[in-house]
Every structure is written in C-alpha cells, then in structure tokens.
Amino acid sequence: MIELAGIRRAYHVGNQDVYALSDVDLTIERGDYVSIMGPSGSGKSTLLNIIGLLDRPDQGAYRLDEQDVTTLTDDQQAGVRQRTMGFVFQFFHLIPRLSAADNIALPLVLAGVPADERRTRVDAVLADMGLSDRAEHRPEELSGGQRQRVAIARAVIMRPSILLADEPTGNLDRHTGEEVVTLLEGLHASGLTLLVVTHDPALGHRAGRQLRMEDGRIISDTQSQPAP
Amino acid sequence: MTFADLFRLTLPALSAHKTRSALTGLGIAIGIAAVVLLTSIGEGVRHYVLTEFTQFGTHLIAINPGKTTTMGTPIGTIASARPLTLQDAESLAAVRGVEAVVPFVQGNAETKFESRRRRTNIYGVGPEMPRVFQLPVASGRFLPPDDPRTARAFVVLGAKITRELFPGVNPLGQHLRIDNSRFTVIGTMASKGQVLGFDLDDAVYVPAARAQELFNRNGLMEVDVLYREDMETETVAAGIKRLMTARHGQEDFTLTTQEQMLDTLGSILGVLTFAVGALGGISLLVGGVGILTILTITVRERTGEIGLLRALGATHAQVLWLFLAESVILAGLGGAAGLVIGVGGAALLHALAPALPVHTPWYYVALAEVIALSIGLLSGVLPARHAAKMDPVEALRAE
C-alpha cells in the first residue's frame, strides 16, 4: 500500500521556487491499476519518481507497506526499489552493449543472485514475453515493441509488487502500443499494483482508477467500473 | 555483485570502443614499458658494478692513514696523523680472525728491459696479495715471504707488461729496471683485464719496502686485511681498531670494510635506478591522465545508464565499482602490454648491445603491474565518484 501525505516538491528555477508537487495526498491500495494523466509539467512524472523512490519530497510523508520510506538513506531506498519496484520507461533504457537476456538479468546481477538461478529465471520470463528466440539479440536488432517487452521483462524479473510505467507507449505505434498495454494489464491481473503515467486518454481510461493532475495538484480522482 | 559479474559487465563496455580503449591502454603501456626498460638498465648497471667489486672477495677491511670524519673544531696540537708502517701491517696478523695482511703503496715509474721502456703502475705489496685479492699467478711465483723491511728486489709482472716488455722472451729470471733500481722477475700474473677503469694488467708488483724506497715514502697508503669468513665484520674491525689505537696512541686511521663499501655503492646505484625509474614514471602519469579523460567522457555518455542502474536498485558503491573496474581493467591490460614491450625491449637491447648490462628483476615487473593497476584505480576515482553521486532522475532524463 502506498500512502502519500502532504507531499511537496519544489525546484529552483532562477530565483523562484516552482512547485512540481504541492500538498499531494494519495493512497493506492495493493493491486490497484492507476493512471496518472495531465499536461506536461503538471507534476505527474515527479509523482511517479517520488513513489518510485528515485526522488525525495521536500515535505510530507511517504509510507510504503506501513513503513516510512522518506527517512531511509539512498542505499536503503535502492534496496526497497530493488525488491518492490519495477520501472518501465518511454525510451526503454536498455543497455545497447548487452543482449536481451543480459539486460533482463541486470537487476539480478545487482542483487547478487547466483548465475545459475539467473539463467532459469531469465529464460522463464523470456518465454512469458514470447521473446525466447530473441534472447541473444542486442537491443538494436529488436523492434520497438520487442524492446519494450524486454524492458518489461527486466522490470518484473525481481518479482516486484509495484510496476511504474512512464509513458510506456509514448515511443511506439498504435498497434505495438496496444500489445504492450495488454502485457502490462496481464501483469496487473496477476496481482501487481500498476501505475501508468500517460498523455494518451485512450490508455488512461483503461485504468480502474484515474488521476488527473494540473500545476502539481491532483484535480480529479475517479474510479471507473471494471469493464464487463 | 561478484567479481565475475563486474568483469562481464565491464568488458563489453571496453570492447564497444575498441580504438578508444586501445589508445588509452597504450598510454599506460608506454609508461610501464619505459619504467621497466629504464629500471632494467639501472639494475643492470648496479649488478655489473657490484660484481666488479666483489670479485676481490667480500671479507676485506681496508685501513687508511688519517681520520676522515669531520670534526667541529681542530683538536689543536696533535693534529698530524702518524703514517701507517710496515710494522703496523705486521702486527695486524695477530688480531683474532685475520687471515692475511697486505701492505699497499702505489706509484708510477718507468720500467725498462733492454731497449724497451714503459711507464706503468708500480704496486708495492706483500706476499699474500694473490690470496687476498684473488689474483692468480700465471707463471713463476709471487713475491716470497721475506722479512718485509729487507725484502729482496723481486718483481712480478702484470700480463700486459709481460707482453709489452718481453715479447717472445721468457721473462722469468730476467732483470727489469724500475727507475734506476734493478729487479729480478720471478713471476707473471694472469690477465685480469680492466676493473672499473683500472688496468691491473698494466702494472708490476714489488715488495712494499722496495716501493717505499722508489717513491721515497716512509708510510703505506693502505693496509688490506683478509679475515675469516665465519667471523663477524664488526668483531674483526673492533680488534683492528683496538690494536691500531694502542700502537698510535690515537685513532688517526680509517677502517673501511668491503661490506660498508658495497652497501654504500649499492645504495647509491639503487637511488640511480630509482631516479631513472621515476623518469619513466612521468609517462605513466600522462597515461593516467589519459584514463581520467576517457572515463570522464564515458561517464557523461552513459549518464542515462547510470540513472537506469540506480532505478534498478544499484547502490552508490555498485555504480562506483562499475566505473572503477573499467579504468582498472584498462590500466591492467595496458600495463601487461607495457610489461611485454619493456621486457622484450630489454632483451632486444641486451641482444643488440651486449656490453650494456641489462637486468630485469621480476619483482620490479610485478611492482610495475601493481603501479599500473593503482594508477587505473586513482584516475578512475574522480569520474566514478561523479557517476555514483548523480541524481537518478536527472540521469534518466539525459537520454
């Protein structure tokens, strides 16, 4: 469970403080599917980064699964990220020198998982994503959709409880975007909390809970009925 | 993250920019090669010089007249040193541990046999000289153990003098004139060649008392003592000092042990080796700056990756080590290449110029590689720290 209370994040631009987030209160239940929409600069990415522990709020409290995580050190936060968060980015962020399998194994390497176990887990995830025949290909040899699937595989390899996606379809055509969304929704269906930041209303409206942001505040929070 | 993993992540990064990595490694390679080559030459020279010295044996103590230590103020009336005498030399044989004593007077004079003349070194010595300095006699015998004060006028010839003055003549039993005194040739020495610039072959050996007469000296220039191998140098030196002080009433002489001399010489030459090595170290420093430059560029290029690693849960230390590993591996490989070039160069030098002594001690080679790795580590620290301290959000945005 994600609990944010009175979160404020300001950036200094020249002599002025610009609020990316001001007094945001938000609770997200385990297993929720939440989309965050809003115009550029409304603070939606900042919100996602704070939830993902990549950024620290200037004020306010963040409790993750009953634990206050705002007071943790950088390295402790890295540990929490490693165990509970999976990130999916607009530009994939794959390492060009490494094969698909090695990219997916990267979080396991950082976590110190032994090589044998890594191989079994990576093979399983590759099969789930339908990428088994692409394991030894490098990112440049993959299509956009395949790259994003590799990135999603990397995001879930540590079996996180929360999946954070920042414009996951922003760099894909409509058809492959659709595939990627289906994949993410499948992961949500299997129990992951899914947070999606997007410009795209069609994508945003698929989420069970929709947040709309403007000027660093949440201006609407609607629950839609699950599709029949 | 294990070492193997660190390797597996770092090597592709290095091979992705082959030319860049090769050139950066070359900087270190040249530095290490220079250090290895120069220290090899330095060590070679040190080895050569020390071998030249030790060929006379190492259990030697030289006694010279006069005290060479510097005093604050002159001690007044008895400032003059008494000369070393033949009697002094004789008495030294009684000191415990002493095996043989050689008095020594040296000068330069004209030698003449029939119509042939040659100016040469005249060494006034005692009968024990061949044994003390390990100089073998080639024919005849060395000076006999006469009473040193009334030694007979015998002469033993160096190899070169034998050749120059007695070509095709057996010199034994012939008469040689030194200045205006007549000496009988009783032996010739084996050729020893040049030792540190002194030509021992271009010399004749006469009894010390005779040399004193020739050069009109009443003292000896030096007394050399050979002592037993199982004796401590200090013990023998102390015995000699006690005896001589008793005879002279003061310490107006100086003892130099071969050990001391070799130590001093060895440390002087060691400094020389270090100095030429440090000279090579400058190019190593330049190589280190090269790594620093390249790694700074690499960190900038891979800012997005650093953000990703942090998002995937990498700690500061892990990011730091990923980049440090890169510079250490680069420097290590460059260093290894430098060792091959350096050792190969030394061998080549030795093959092309056999006169130049070259000696590559293996601990220097190991040390050079350790230095290369340390340089990699040091020059990697700044850029790697920069990478580790990056803000992940900023870094992710850099793509």
Side-chain angles (χ1 to χ4, degrees):
Chain A
M1 196 166 70
I2 298 164
E3 293 165 285
L4 300 178
I7 296 291
R8 180 177 290 184
R9 180 77 173 97
Y11 295 101
H12 300 282
V13 179
N15 285 331
Q16 276 187 310
D17 280 355
V18 178
Y19 285 93
L21 291 178
S22 41
D23 303 314
V24 169
D25 300 306
L26 179 64
T27 304
I28 296 172
E29 298 294 334
R30 189 176 266 273
D32 265 6
Y33 177 9
V34 182
S35 69
I36 306 167
M37 289 177 283
S40 297
S42 59
K44 52 189 195 303
S45 287
T46 306
L47 180 61
L48 198 74
N49 287 336
I50 282 180
I51 291 173
L53 293 171
L54 288 172
D55 202 356
R56 285 172 181 274
D58 299 317
Q59 247 178 51
Y62 174 11
R63 293 170 69 78
L64 178 66
D65 297 331
E66 313 299 319
Q67 188 198 1
D68 184 0
V69 288
T70 34
T71 53
L72 297 181
T73 65
D74 277 7
D75 283 351
Q76 285 170 331
Q77 288 194 342
V80 173
R81 264 201 309 274
Q82 191 167 58
R83 288 188 300 275
T84 53
M85 315 271 182
F87 291 87
V88 178
F89 307 95
Q90 179 178 3
F91 297 105
F92 322 131
H93 278 291
L94 297 174
I95 294 184
R97 306 176 296 277
L98 303 180
S99 69
D102 285 346
N103 266 291
I104 295 169
L106 200 53
L108 298 173
V109 171
L110 293 171
V113 175
D116 297 345
E117 192 189 332
R118 289 205 302 253
R119 203 162 302 124
T120 0
R121 278 168 75 170
V122 169
D123 286 348
V125 172
L126 277 167
D128 287 350
M129 301 281 159
L131 286 168
S132 292
D133 57 335
R134 291 283 180 273
E136 294 311 315
H137 288 235
R138 288 211 251 148
E140 60 186 13
E141 300 162 330
L142 300 173
S143 71
Q146 286 170 335
R147 285 184 211 183
Q148 196 60 303
R149 290 206 322 259
V150 170
I152 293 169
R154 181 182 61 195
V156 299
I157 193 77
M158 290 296 291
R159 299 170 190 142
S161 56
I162 303 168
L163 202 54
L164 303 167
D166 195 351
E167 304 278 7
T169 60
N171 217 27
L172 301 172
D173 62 52
R174 186 139 214 92
H175 176 66
T176 46
E178 187 70 31
E179 276 178 17
V180 164
V181 172
T182 313
L183 188 56
L184 289 174
E185 286 175 352
L187 290 165
H188 165 246
S190 71
L192 266 78
T193 309
L194 177 61
L195 265 74
V196 180
V197 163
T198 184
H199 269 109
D200 179 2
L203 172 56
H205 286 120
R206 296 172 66 138
R209 183 179 176 192
Q210 295 149 25
L211 303 177
R212 182 164 289 280
M213 293 191 71
E214 223 164 81
D215 295 331
R217 293 171 197 278
I218 297 171
I219 55 163
S220 78
D221 183 348
T222 51
Q223 302 271 352
S224 66
Q225 294 306 312
Chain B
M1 197 163 48
T2 64
F3 257 128
D5 288 331
L6 203 59
F7 236 76
R8 225 170 295 156
L9 286 177
T10 310
L11 282 185
L14 291 176
S15 59
H17 295 285
K18 286 199 180 61
T19 321
R20 186 203 272 189
S21 301
L23 287 176
T24 314
L26 185 67
I28 293 289
I30 291 173
I32 289 290
V35 169
V36 169
L37 201 60
L38 287 173
T39 48
S40 293
I41 295 172
E43 269 302 285
V45 169
R46 195 170 79 101
H47 235 243
Y48 170 78
V49 172
L50 290 184
T51 329
E52 287 282 283
F53 265 93
T54 46
Q55 67 179 328
F56 297 123
T58 46
H59 297 95
L60 291 177
I61 297 176
I63 303 145
N64 296 86
K67 185 83 187 139
T68 47
T69 36
T70 309
M71 302 285 195
T73 43
I75 341 171
T77 49
I78 23 168
S80 64
R82 283 173 57 181
L84 285 173
T85 61
L86 281 168
Q87 286 84 346
D88 286 332
E90 260 183 301
S91 69
L92 283 172
V95 175
R96 202 166 78 86
V98 170
E99 290 214 320
V101 181
V102 177
F104 184 83
V105 180
Q106 187 245 334
N108 199 280
E110 190 178 72
T111 55
K112 184 178 167 215
F113 173 67
E114 292 174 347
S115 62
R116 292 173 164 269
R117 301 156 183 271
R118 185 178 175 87
R119 274 203 92 78
T120 188
N121 289 313
I122 316 293
Y123 293 129
V125 295
E128 301 271 31
M129 197 212 65
R131 180 171 162 218
V132 172
F133 291 109
Q134 299 172 16
L135 299 170
V137 175
S139 69
R141 56 194 178 94
F142 201 72
L143 302 171
D146 288 345
D147 180 337
R149 272 146 296 186
T150 57
R152 285 167 286 172
F154 289 144
V155 63
V156 178
L157 307 177
K160 191 167 194 171
I161 293 297
T162 312
R163 268 197 318 276
E164 294 292 327
L165 292 185
F166 300 91
V169 183
N170 181 2
L172 298 182
Q174 303 284 354
H175 295 294
L176 179 77
R177 291 200 84 89
I178 302 175
D179 278 353
N180 282 319
S181 312
R182 207 174 74 142
F183 287 83
T184 310
V185 178
I186 57 163
T188 62
M189 302 299 287
S191 179
K192 190 79 183 174
Q194 295 240 349
V195 176
L196 293 167
F198 295 101
D199 191 349
L200 292 180
D201 294 344
D202 193 359
V204 300
Y205 302 90
V206 299
R210 294 284 170 177
Q212 280 179 311
E213 274 168 28
L214 277 172
F215 304 122
N216 205 14
R217 289 182 62 105
N218 51 7
L220 299 169
M221 289 175 161
E222 184 174 307
V223 177
D224 294 291
V225 172
L226 174 74
Y227 56 92
R228 288 212 317 264
E229 284 179 26
D230 55 350
M231 290 291 290
E232 289 286 332
T233 313
E234 288 75 31
T235 317
V236 181
I240 293 172
K241 192 175 279 185
R242 253 197 320 277
L243 180 84
M244 291 297 293
T245 313
R247 288 180 65 87
H248 284 203
Q250 56 175 324
E251 197 184 321
D252 58 355
F253 54 90
T254 305
L255 295 190
T256 313
T257 64
Q258 184 83 351
E259 232 173 48
Q260 263 171 13
M261 217 158 79
L262 288 174
D263 277 358
T264 315
L265 203 64
S267 61
I268 290 172
L269 293 166
V271 169
L272 198 76
T273 305
F274 180 78
V276 291
L279 222 58
I282 293 173
S283 48
L284 207 51
L285 196 70
V286 176
V289 173
I291 290 196
L292 178 70
T293 312
I294 288 302
L295 207 65
T296 308
I297 295 173
T298 304
V299 167
R300 199 152 300 164
E301 281 175 350
R302 286 206 233 135
T303 304
E305 276 177 35
I306 295 164
L308 171 78
L309 288 168
R310 301 279 288 129
L312 296 180
T315 60
H316 288 295
Q318 282 178 322
V319 174
L320 185 82
W321 274 108
L322 274 170
F323 284 93
L324 273 185
E326 215 160 294
S327 73
V328 169
I329 292 173
L330 203 53
L333 291 178
L339 289 182
V340 173
I341 300 171
V343 173
L348 192 72
L349 203 64
H350 190 62
L352 292 181
L356 188 70
V358 181
H359 178 75
T360 314
W362 287 105
Y363 64 87
Y364 269 49
V365 171
L367 192 70
E369 185 62 21
V370 170
I371 288 174
L373 292 173
S374 319
I375 281 187
L377 203 63
L378 280 178
S379 43
V381 163
L382 276 179
R385 269 171 57 113
H386 176 63
K389 282 186 172 169
M390 262 182 208
D391 175 43
V393 175
E394 292 281 330
L396 277 168
R397 208 178 288 153
E399 192 100 328

